[in-house]
Every structure is written in C-alpha cells, then in structure tokens.
Amino acid sequence: MKKNFLFPFVALFTLLFASCSQEEIVSNEESKAPITLSVNAPVDNAVSRAATLDGYTLTCIMQLLNATGDQVGTQMTAEFSGNNATFTFDPTTATQALFWAEYRKAGSSVYNTSDLKNVRYSTNAFDLSKATDMSATDAFCGKLTSLSTTTVTLKRPFAKLNVKAKNPELVAGYTGIAVAFNAPSGYSVLNQTTASTAAVTFTNASGFNPANTWFSVLVFAPVSEAALGQNITITLSGSGKTDKVITLPGAAITTDDNKITNVSFDIENTNNITVTVGIDDEFETVAMAVGDYIYKDGNFGKTYNEDVIAIVYALAGKTDASDYGVGKTIAGYAMAVTCPARALGAATGITFPTITKTGTGTTPWADDYNGLTYTNALITGLGDFSSPLFDGYKTWVTTNTFTGTNLSDWYIPSGRQLLDIAGMIFGWTDTDPSVAPSVAKDEAFRAAYDTAVAGGGTKFNSYTAAATIISSYLKQDSTPAGVMVDKDNTEITGFAGGSYKLANASFIRPVLTVFK
C-alpha cells in the first residue's frame, strides 16, 4: 500500500489532449499552433464532491517541463467546470507535463504546489471531526512524459489509513484523541517519490469513540517505500482521566498509492498490528481474483496473515439461487483455510432421520453452486440427531467467526463447488463421461492453498489414508456426493457417496460466498 490523508472518492481522471489550430504563436525556432488540453474528471466523484465542500473548488495545476526536467514557463491553473478543466499552451520548448488537482478554498490549499516535483504541506494541523477539513486533504496527480501522448490518468498519490483498536474496551470513556506523526512530504509528481517528512497532527477534541475507527487519514505513498516508516503517536484524553499515550510502529504499516490500508492494533501490545489492503469502490476499484485471500473483516488481498479465513476459488456468474438476503450481489466464492476434524458418521444400528434429496439437478457435478440452500436443507433434516461429522462441523462454525458484513455464513459446498475446489488444487481429467467433468488445476489457487497450509491451514485431506470430502448435495439414496483424495494430497482418486449414516470417516470443507 502507500501513504497520506482522508475520504473515499474515486480518484481517476482522464486527461484528453487535442490539437487545435488557432492563431499561430511565433517562437525563436518556428511557428506552432498552441495545444489545448482537456482534463476530464468523473462527475459522480471528484467534481461533484467539490460542490459539497462549502467554498471549495476543484482546481487543476499544470507544470510544463523540458527534456531535462526543468520547468518551462510558469504554472497554469484551471478550475473544473462540469467534467473538465482546460489548458492552452505553446509546446515549443516543453516536452513533459505534470498535473495536480486539489480542493481550494479562497485560493488556499492544504498543499504548497509551487513546484510539482516537490509538493509539501502548507498547513499541518487537521480537525478529524470536520468532514470538510479532512476532505480537502484529498488530491490527484498525473504526468505526461511526452506531449505526443494524448491521454493521461490522474489518481491519488496517497494511501488511506483506517486505524482502530482490537480491544477498545480497555480505553472506554476516553472522548478526545490527538494523532501526530512525521508524514512523508516533498512529493515529486514526476518521480512518485518523497524527499522529506513534515510533522502533522490530527485531533478530535470531544467526539472520539474508541469503539469506532479511531482515525482515517491520507498519507503520501511514494513508489520507493512499502511502509509508512514513521511512528504514529496517539494521545487519548477524557474528563477525569489521565492522558493515555499509544505509539504505533510505522514500519509495520504498509502503504500503496490510491488504496486503503486497514490497521488494527492491540492497545496493550502495539507490536501486535494487523494490516490488510482494503478496497473501496469510491477510492479505487481493484478486482477480486481467484487465489486472493479473504480476511476476517471481509476485505481481500494477496498477503497471507493470521486474519486470513478463506481463499477465493470462483467469481460471480455461477448458477446460484441460494437466498442470501435482500441487497446481496455476489462477487465470488471462497474456501476455508481450515476445516473440522475427520469424523465418523455414526455407529451402525442407529435409526437415522429421513432427509429428502437436496440436489435439484440430475448430477452432483452440474453447474450448481446452491451449496447454501443444500446445507440449510441438510442441517434442518438432521434436526437434533447427533452425528459426529455434522456436530463437528457445527462446532467449527461457531469457533470460526468473522466480522465482515459482506460475507455469507459458512456452509458445505455443493457437489460442483467441491469438484471445482478439488480440481483446481489437484487437477482432474475426465476420461469417462459417466464420471465428473474435467477441472483444470489453477496455479494461483494452488499457490494460495500451499501458502495457507504452510502457515497453519489444513490440508485438503489430513488423514493418513485416502479420504472422502463430502458435499451438501444429497443423492437419491440420501448419501452426500463426495470427492476422494489420496493420503499424500497429490490427486483425486475418485468420486463416491460419503455418508453421515455409516461408520466410514469423512471431511467437510466449509465455504462462504463473498458479496460486493
């Protein structure tokens, strides 16, 4: 991730350049028509946001450079009108252009932009309780290294930091917060690097609630740095309370430009920090991919850590009529990195409940991702019947909780979901039309699975012999469709009906659905 201040509004600006023949400008070499450059910004984010900031306008700055990187002429500024800000200039000696768009009020700004190769802070104190104060720290930049190029995209040079405590109950009653650190400064739009730091403070004198996010700020995120680096000092205050000072190690706080860094820390041990890369559609849309990890808070990323709960194995577009609730749009599906222990179905000679076939298709391996529907029917059908296999699954679910509101409950995969997962890990080639269809091994998913196993996750088969992993798809004879995997976790050995009834042993590999 990368570094500097607040507010989620998508920051992608497309600059469209068009030549227009106007009156000629005479240079000491030749006559050239001026270039008219149009800076385009999405109406529904950056530009419309300026209208909600009382007294602020979104202003674009252009600085021309020659081939050696020296400034040519003076900077030009243009306010956005609707979607666009336009510049007209003589390109005779200019070969490059730098751009910076910021929110200005009465001509002043949070930043000193007299040199776009050295953007610094013009003000260093911010009130966290004032939305407009924090929103005005937002800015966007871009460059053209050749004026023969006709398009460029502006984006935030910042990472957004969201910081909160893992155990806020320890500081209940504190109502004020002051945050101070040396933030990267001296940002070069040309090189995307920073040359200095500046002391900045963020305060919320009386509206602080430790149970919520403690603060959200934007910090410059140079391409040359992977972490904030500078320690953050947090001072809490409250009526009748002794000030409490907390220091977060900046080296542990990773940053990426135009992305969100979620930081969760332990108040009693600030070295215990969890950092995840979060995605906000209004900040930057990053597509979830197969092989990405799902974290407890519902975010996703490519880094494995203690907060990982699942691995994405499929994206939206599957046949899935499960009832997830109103307003849920599926983004993908993820397999748990751990699973309940292998368990026997039950002893023989027991009277079992009669469970109606759950699968709606003619085969467990059809394109059918209705695992949640089938799981609910299966668990309902079992009722109070005690089965070690499903009792273990229910216990696992209660001990593997998460906070992400964009995730479904855990459930047992349908036959096709299970086939896809196993096939993507081991690869499966169908040589007999009566058996399950082929599923190609997926290198990204397999690599994420291997990393998770190495980090303490559970192998697909953790038994000392071949084992069956069951699905929630019950066949006509009320046996769950299952995938058999060898003891060495190297291949799928076949497909069978596992059973919750008999004394054979099986595994359940929980999955969940991820929503947008």
Side-chain angles (χ1 to χ4, degrees), residues 4-5 22 75 107 136 172-173 213 264 297 300 322 376 378 409 435 485 490 498:
N4 220 304
F5 293 68
Q22 301 176 4
Q75 287 185 352
T213 297
S264 179
D297 61 3
F300 62 89
S322 297
N376 290 339
L378 181 57
D409 294 334
V435 187
V485 176
T490 59

Side-chain angles (χ1 to χ4, degrees), residues 20 71 76 126 176 203 224 229 251 263 287 319 422 434 444 473 479 499:
C20 11
Q71 182 170 333
M76 300 177 67
F126 304 93
T203 58
S224 56
V263 179
T319 301
S434 67
Y473 185 107
T479 60
S499 179

Side-chain angles (χ1 to χ4, degrees), residues 244-262:
K244 183 174 183 60
V245 179
I246 299 169
T247 301
L248 302 183
I253 301 174
T254 56
T255 53
D256 268 322
D257 58 341
N258 213 41
K259 292 185 176 67
I260 299 172
T261 299
N262 297 309

Side-chain angles (χ1 to χ4, degrees), residues 384-444:
D384 295 331
F385 179 76
S386 180
S387 164
L389 181 64
F390 290 101
D391 290 348
Y393 164 73
K394 294 174 184 177
T395 298
W396 182 94
V397 168
T398 62
T399 57
N400 285 267
T401 58
F402 47 80
T403 59
T405 57
N406 63 321
L407 305 175
S408 73
D409 294 334
W410 292 110
Y411 59 92
I412 304 168
S414 69
R416 184 56 195 237
Q417 287 175 295
L418 181 61
L419 170 64
D420 284 348
I421 291 169
M424 292 166 68
I425 293 175
F426 306 110
W428 168 253
T429 300
D430 173 23
T431 58
D432 181 346
S434 67
V435 187
S438 299
V439 177
K441 182 177 179 180
D442 187 283
E443 297 299 336

Side-chain angles (χ1 to χ4, degrees), residues 75-90:
Q75 287 185 352
M76 300 177 67
T77 62
E79 292 184 4
F80 281 86
S81 175
N83 288 354
N84 303 303
T86 59
F87 298 92
T88 300
F89 61 95
D90 180 353

Side-chain angles (χ1 to χ4, degrees), residues 128 176-180 201-205 215 232-237 246:
L128 289 167
I177 185 173
V179 179
T201 59
F202 302 86
T203 58
N204 187 345
F215 61 93
I232 298 176
T233 300
I234 304 171
T235 303
L236 304 184
S237 58
I246 299 169

Side-chain angles (χ1 to χ4, degrees), residues 143-331:
K143 64 179 178 178
L144 285 176
T145 55
S146 169
L147 295 183
S148 64
T149 304
T150 58
T151 61
V152 66
T153 298
L154 297 186
K155 70 174 185 178
R156 287 180 177 86
F158 312 120
K160 181 182 178 183
L161 301 185
N162 295 325
V163 180
K164 65 179 181 180
K166 295 180 178 179
N167 42 2
E169 67 279 0
L170 298 181
V171 289
Y174 282 91
T175 56
I177 185 173
V179 179
F181 61 99
N182 290 324
S185 185
Y187 184 82
S188 170
V189 176
L190 179 63
N191 300 319
Q192 293 88 56
T193 57
T194 54
S196 59
T197 61
V200 294
T201 59
F202 302 86
T203 58
N204 187 345
S206 59
F208 169 66
N209 182 349
N212 300 332
T213 297
W214 285 26
F215 61 93
S216 296
V217 297
L218 297 174
V219 295
F220 278 116
V223 296
S224 56
E225 301 292 338
L228 178 62
Q230 306 293 323
N231 291 348
I232 298 176
T233 300
I234 304 171
T235 303
L236 304 184
S237 58
S239 178
K241 289 186 172 291
T242 302
D243 286 0
K244 183 174 183 60
V245 179
I246 299 169
T247 301
L248 302 183
I253 301 174
T254 56
T255 53
D256 268 322
D257 58 341
N258 213 41
K259 292 185 176 67
I260 299 172
T261 299
N262 297 309
V263 179
S264 179
F265 69 94
D266 187 326
I267 292 172
E268 294 184 317
N269 177 14
T270 54
N271 288 318
N272 182 0
I273 284 183
T274 299
V275 176
T276 62
V277 180
I279 304 304
D280 187 317
D281 286 343
E282 290 188 336
F283 202 81
E284 179 183 36
T285 301
V286 177
M288 187 170 68
V290 169
D292 282 352
Y293 294 111
I294 300 297
Y295 304 103
K296 290 180 181 178
D297 61 3
N299 286 310
F300 62 89
K302 300 185 183 301
T303 302
Y304 184 82
N305 60 37
E306 63 182 3
D307 283 334
V308 169
I309 60 171
I311 308 169
V312 177
Y313 65 89
L315 302 179
K318 303 296 183 179
T319 301
D320 185 359
S322 297
D323 183 4
Y324 294 109
V326 178
K328 301 290 188 181
T329 301
I330 295 173

